[in-house]
Amino acid sequence: MTYARRRLLSILLPGFLVALCALVPLMQQSADAVSDPPGPVTGNATYFDGLGMPYGGCGVPQANLDSPDFVALNVYNTPGDYTFYPRPLTGADLSKAGLWNNGLNCGRYVQVEISDFCTGTNDGAQNQAFCRNGSWSPDAYNGAKLTMLVADSCGDSNAWCRDDPYHLDLSKDSLNRFVKNGAAVGDLYPSHWNNRRVTWSFIPAPGYSGDIDIGFLQSAQVWWPAITVSHLANGIHGVEYFADGAWRRARMNGDMGQSYVIGGTTSGASQFQIRVRDVTDTLINGGRVYSFTLPSACSPQCGAPYTKAAYTTSDGSTATPTATPTVTPTVTPTGGAGVSCSVNAQVASTWQGGFTSNVTVRNTGATTWANWTLTWTMPAGVTLVSAWGSTITSSGTTWTIKAPSWATSLAPGASATFGFQAGGPSTPGPAGITCS
């Protein structure tokens, strides 16, 4: 039997989203909940008919995707647990995150290769084995490949979306476009499908050229400027906007990883400046600044699912300067056995009820510091909102900061920089810092 998972449509009526946001604050994911697979991985594959309306899980309408070939990644990794947990996943629920990673893998590309066919029942039933009463068998389609774009999420309550961490949900129209020996296979679906296995890995955008695209989402307006950033070279992990003389971390629009809610250069302005961080949390194009205005078609609000914004750019090194940061003096924390480090924290920007900080940690010892970790105490009333360049968890006033997956160790004299957005007062800063 061939099973086709069909996407439920998400319908947002003009004006409804703005009203909703006035009642419920937009949530922001914290740092990476999961790391990339260590290499090519194999999992079950299903298919779905297309993105919902007006846009898919990444916040980009299907008509505006860079590729007609797209996939959905698992929201959850909860084997045997088919409960729906609130999205984006926060706090203790972060341990339940799948490779959707709260939207942080949106806009990336995957190289997908067809693997074995199931000769039995592979229906994704809860608490049942994959490929029951049969076996996985190679056939003539093994080795067919296709490059696909991460554009949606799979949060369904079936075994594929919960029990198989490397499951991919593929766009149905892409199945017969897989290529082997220089030609499309043509007839993989439906007779040779049966939710077979695939092997896949993340890759940079193939043949990338040009620059990003910026568009306003349906119902966006001056007081709710929700944008989508697409045409990405290496995914997107954050957007920063310039307002009232300082760069501020934008909030992700739920867990739609390519959509962020920004602010004007001054309160209520229709002029915007942003810069973008990629999947490595690095500012793209050397910190290039993108300047644009709310299109005239979006007065009083955007009616179309996507309204493209024309922009101008300036080099990051000559961009409008940020506000002078508040510097917390370098401290020498208590070190674990064989560990010596220094920590320098800077409050980069503040506003009523919140702030962002940039932190540099340096290995001042004589040996490599593996899997670097900091622990510190924040004043009561300070809450973690998001982080970049590290994985930060909080338990009451105690924060634990761990090395990012791409830079787990620090050689003697080497340093790493990370940052966070928090709610509450920016002073006093962290205290009781311990490195281990």
Side-chain angles (χ1 to χ4, degrees), residues 207-233:
Y208 185 83
S209 62
D211 207 334
I212 63 172
D213 289 331
I214 301 171
F216 285 88
L217 292 188
Q218 190 174 81
S219 298
Q221 52 165 290
V222 167
W223 297 108
W224 193 72
I227 63 168
T228 282
V229 182
S230 57
H231 192 59
L232 301 160

Side-chain angles (χ1 to χ4, degrees), residues 10 12 22 33 51-52 59 111 139 164 224 252 277 298 313 359 372 392:
S10 57
L12 297 174
L51 300 187
Q111 180 71 52
D139 60 15
D164 180 359
W224 193 72
M252 187 187 289
R277 293 184 181 271
C298 293
T313 63
V359 185
W372 64 264
I392 303 181

Side-chain angles (χ1 to χ4, degrees), residues 12 25 89 174 185 234 279 281 376 418:
L12 297 174
L89 299 168
S174 300
V185 293
N234 196 21
V279 74
D281 283 312
W376 65 43
F418 63 93

Side-chain angles (χ1 to χ4, degrees), residues 215-264:
F216 285 88
L217 292 188
Q218 190 174 81
S219 298
Q221 52 165 290
V222 167
W223 297 108
W224 193 72
I227 63 168
T228 282
V229 182
S230 57
H231 192 59
L232 301 160
N234 196 21
I236 178 171
H237 264 205
V239 171
E240 297 166 7
Y241 65 94
F242 195 77
D244 298 322
W247 285 106
R248 306 174 188 274
R249 191 80 172 185
R251 295 171 294 171
M252 187 187 289
N253 192 357
D255 65 348
M256 295 192 298
Q258 289 174 249
S259 178
Y260 285 80
V261 181
I262 59 175

